[in-house]
Amino acid sequence: MKNQMRLERGGTPLAGFETKGGKRPKTALVLAGGGVTGVVYEVGVLQALSNFLTGDFTIHDFDMVIGISAGSIVGSFLVNGVPPSEMIGALGAEPSDSLRPFSKWDVYRPNFGEFFQRALKLPFNLLNNLHKNLSHSTFGKYPYAQLFDEILPSAMFSNHKVEEYVRTNLRQLGGTNDFRKLKKDFYVIATELDTGDRVVFGHKDHQHVPISKAVQASTAIPLFYKPVRIGRREYVDGALRKTLSIDLAIERGAELIVCINPVVPLRNDIEHKYIPMLGHKERYISSKGFHYVWRQMLRLMLHSRIPAGLERYRHFYPNVDIILIEPREDDYKMFFHNIMDYDARVSVAEHGYKTVMSQIRENYAEYSAAFARHEVEMFQARERSSSNSTRVFNKTSQAVRKVRLQQMNNSEMGLLHTLLEKLDKALTTAEETTVQRHRRKEREEGSESFPKHVQSAI
């Protein structure tokens, strides 16, 4: 898939489904997972799309929104009327008109509770393991190896701050945290850990769960975030079973489905060029080590389902249009950012915005025709809209840089900054002393003019 956007034609939609949006051809927006960079990439893409959907149909007028993992965070605010520009503002240091800043503490909250619980149980587990080892000979050559499985927690971090962030912001902006009170259909996908089943929050069987709690369940990346317990069930990331869950949109009658997928494996052409992000002449992903091999493997597993799924939907549903928006296969910038890279949030959002703006302009006739088939009119993005979006990104970037300068005070650079300030102050004091000395001398001599070397310094 060489283009950033791909249009798939497919599906006679299933009859009998009506959404809260009305009786015109139904539309759906699918927001896939991808960690922190997935959230911000999708926000940038939505800002780009909003520049082309400026008529009777706007970015808020999709009949249904499906959020998987990171996409559920973006979807929860979109269905409550928060525009992408406000979400971009929340990536910075200062509150936007409706959302407070999205802080690193919201993402990286250590799983302290489970660490302590496991530590308290350690003596009991040690004695229990010793008793089993003495009474049974079924543990193989290393009977104490399994003890470490009981010591380690289920994950490094807890994402309860993500739930709190969504809940408090929805309350602050006057939105709803109740699926049943929304004016459109919103579905949040999670995976039940103990059964492996896909669970659809927002469906009639799970509408009672608060939106923020469903988002917490959907974003619980295994091993990174601990499983989220709702009632008697535990849930983890919604992308484990299906990357996009397009079938859900088709089953509910959508005829135009726009999918945003931030996670794409890198197609690294070792025969023609070096990897530009490595900083030296290296051709192979493995040259960056274990983490990057794992990153490529994860992206391959998540993305490999998409082409086969699109082919199947095109065959069985030839009248459904599916528009897939994702990074290019040779997008090194997206690949070399860890999906949980908080510090890259503004640059990735801007990258998503600029690349999709460019792609829509290049393929405008094709995509405007696809939207038109479903009574949705696209407009060529005006320069004013584009410049307004650029100003939003610039303002957010400046806010982030401001915070980083403030954080310097708590780092080695902060110490250097403090020392330089002290040196500058000392030099200023010395200079003032010199000026005063010369003034005194000139008064004694009856002259009020500054010495030339002092004049040149001022």
Side-chain angles (χ1 to χ4, degrees), residues 266-289 292 296 332 335-336:
L266 179 66
R267 189 169 187 83
N268 181 39
D269 188 355
I270 64 172
E271 298 298 330
H272 294 90
K273 58 185 177 183
Y274 300 109
I275 298 177
M277 302 294 286
L278 291 185
H280 57 283
K281 293 185 176 182
E282 291 287 353
R283 295 179 183 271
Y284 299 95
I285 292 174
S286 63
S287 62
K288 286 291 285 182
Y292 287 82
Q296 177 78 330
Y332 289 93
F335 178 79
F336 278 88

Side-chain angles (χ1 to χ4, degrees), residues 180-250:
R180 296 164 293 190
K181 295 181 180 180
L182 290 171
K183 296 180 180 179
K184 64 172 79 255
D185 296 321
F186 180 42
Y187 303 105
V188 175
I189 312 300
T191 305
E192 187 178 338
L193 180 61
D194 292 285
T195 64
D197 293 336
R198 181 180 68 169
V199 176
V200 182
F201 292 104
H203 186 266
K204 60 182 179 180
D205 294 334
H206 299 282
Q207 282 185 325
H208 64 284
V209 176
I211 293 173
S212 59
K213 198 66 179 177
V215 169
Q216 183 188 5
S218 183
T219 56
I221 302 171
L223 303 181
F224 192 86
Y225 289 131
K226 73 175 186 176
V228 175
R229 186 169 298 178
I230 301 176
R232 298 178 58 194
R233 307 289 184 178
E234 286 190 334
Y235 301 94
V236 291
D237 197 292
L240 292 183
R241 289 301 303 269
K242 287 180 177 288
T243 304
L244 295 175
S245 286
I246 293 175
D247 62 310
L248 189 65
I250 294 177

Side-chain angles (χ1 to χ4, degrees), residues 54-67:
T54 56
D56 294 333
F57 186 98
T58 70
I59 200 71
H60 296 282
D61 292 325
F62 286 93
D63 296 304
M64 69 188 80
V65 176
I66 298 173

